[in-house]
Amino acid sequence: MASFANKIKQNKKYFIAFLIILIVGIFLRTYHYSDLLRFGKDQARDAVLIRNVVQGKTPWPLLGPNMGKLNFDLGPMFYYFQIMSAKIFGFSPVTIAYPDLLFSILTIPMLFFFLKKYFDNLISISLTALYAVSFYAVQNGRFAWNQNSLMFFSMLFLYAFLELANKNRRKKWPWIILAGAALGIGVQLHLLFAAIVGIVFFIFAIYLIRKNLLTLKNAALVLLIAFVLNIPQFVSEIQTHGGNVRAFFSGTGQETQDSNPFPTNIFIDAAWHAQADSMFVAPYRDDTSLHIENLSDSLSGSKNETAAIIKHWPDILYAGLGIILSLIGYIFLFYCARKEKNERKRLFLQLIALYAITAFLVMIPLSHVLELRYMLIVQFVPFILLGLLIKLLEEKYGRRMIYISLIALAFLFAWNANAVWSGFQSFLKGKGDTGIAIWKEEAAAGKFILSNSSPNQIVRMVYIPAKSDKFIRPLAFFNGSVDDDIDAPPETQNEILPPVKNAAYFALILHSKTAQKKLKQEIKKSGTYRIAASATFGRLEIYRLEAVRPN
């Protein structure tokens, strides 16, 4: 304890800077937290399960969220965190998101200490400051999703793994526990964690054992702890005779069949890594599609290539910066991993290099389904690459380049902070990304439905445009049901459903004059309803309809 206090005194200015950065990071992650909480289809699905467990209607689950196309269920730890939060703070969509919020906040100091493994205080604190305001880091820390905590548990595992190889650490058991816990929890959050971290652990453990930096016993204990945390999955497999494993292999086989040719997969994988490296540090646009592919389509489809290049020069510049950061950053990473003389720093770089290579190779077969969210597993990597580029500039041009680099980082800091703050204000004003469902708006719309229907009536959503379908399950959750209890047309059907007996009729649109006009045209064309009441809640506009000719 005295040693820790002395370190704070010796680095007082950095400690104060770290506290300010942490406070800023916490503020951005908690600002209007409940009002701006994202609560979409996946969150509503999970909330129904958590509510049933907390109310004693169902037991604690043995499996976790479904992997969608793979039709495979992850481990239940994500749900366990939510259940424990609901039992401590009371159940609500807000409280079950607290674990992801907590891990998002903890990632800030975790990144600082992780960077300190190689960089000095100035570079580490500067990169941590950038992460604290990173648009995508803040965005993903403000709602419940099993992938949102991948960065924290990835870094925790890597940090603890390096400490196990630290000759100066006499007590190994705390790091055995942390490494085992991070591994055991992480594999339940996403399959990519299981594949990437599993391979990294196996390869690096053998390397460390051969160098007498890790004992076989300690490596086995890490695996044992991870196994214990995954016991519920094994219980489920016994009960279902391996049903979840069969679903995994069936889904994996289908995904592999749908893949692109191998060279194309490599290119797309590399493009996604380059784009993620740039987007995690510089939020050019809130767009999760592959920029270089969109840019190529825009340029190739233009009759005047020069005019198209001038028109899209920001996109070209941004794509170029991402490629430069990735290309130079990774080359320098691999170079330093070989040439670094300090053993502890060399191990750090070797581990990061192995992690980056493994992530790239694992994602090659998945390139046809890759999205930015899959890159959360490598979210910390571009910050290390930035640090290496700063270090490269310092070695080439002297110490003054660090301060020039800090100016560039300050620009990125301001860019991210502005993007975060503008996003907040946009949603608070009832605007914002229509692809994101917000709890405050859904709760208000849900109350409108409750006040305009009776408990024995069917809630029938007779009109809902395609882009509004994501709100159905959250609205159903608010009404104490599941999404199947709300009748709604198919996602692509912008037509009025006919009336049925004993139903309360509603229509939902995204607030705009165009959508209002379209709805009224459809109502008039159907000749079966009239508008009885309406209300606007932010971006949502909901109508209570009455049947003119009920069955």
Side-chain angles (χ1 to χ4, degrees), residues 50 54 60 80-92 95-96 98-99 102:
I50 304 304
V54 172
W60 286 49
Y80 289 178
F81 285 142
Q82 291 186 314
I83 293 169
M84 288 185 284
S85 182
K87 287 184 175 291
I88 294 170
F89 301 104
F91 172 79
S92 79
T95 59
I96 64 174
Y98 284 169
L102 174 63

Side-chain angles (χ1 to χ4, degrees), residues 293-312:
E293 195 171 58
N294 297 338
L295 186 60
S296 176
D297 292 341
S298 298
L299 294 178
S300 62
S302 176
K303 295 180 180 179
N304 188 333
E305 291 187 6
T306 303
I309 291 172
I310 294 173
K311 178 182 178 181
H312 294 284

Side-chain angles (χ1 to χ4, degrees), residues 66 145 188 249 271 295 300 304 337 365 425 445 465 467 474 512:
N66 187 270
W145 203 24
Q188 300 185 53
F249 285 111
L295 186 60
S300 62
N304 188 333
Q425 300 313 309
K467 287 187 177 180
S512 73

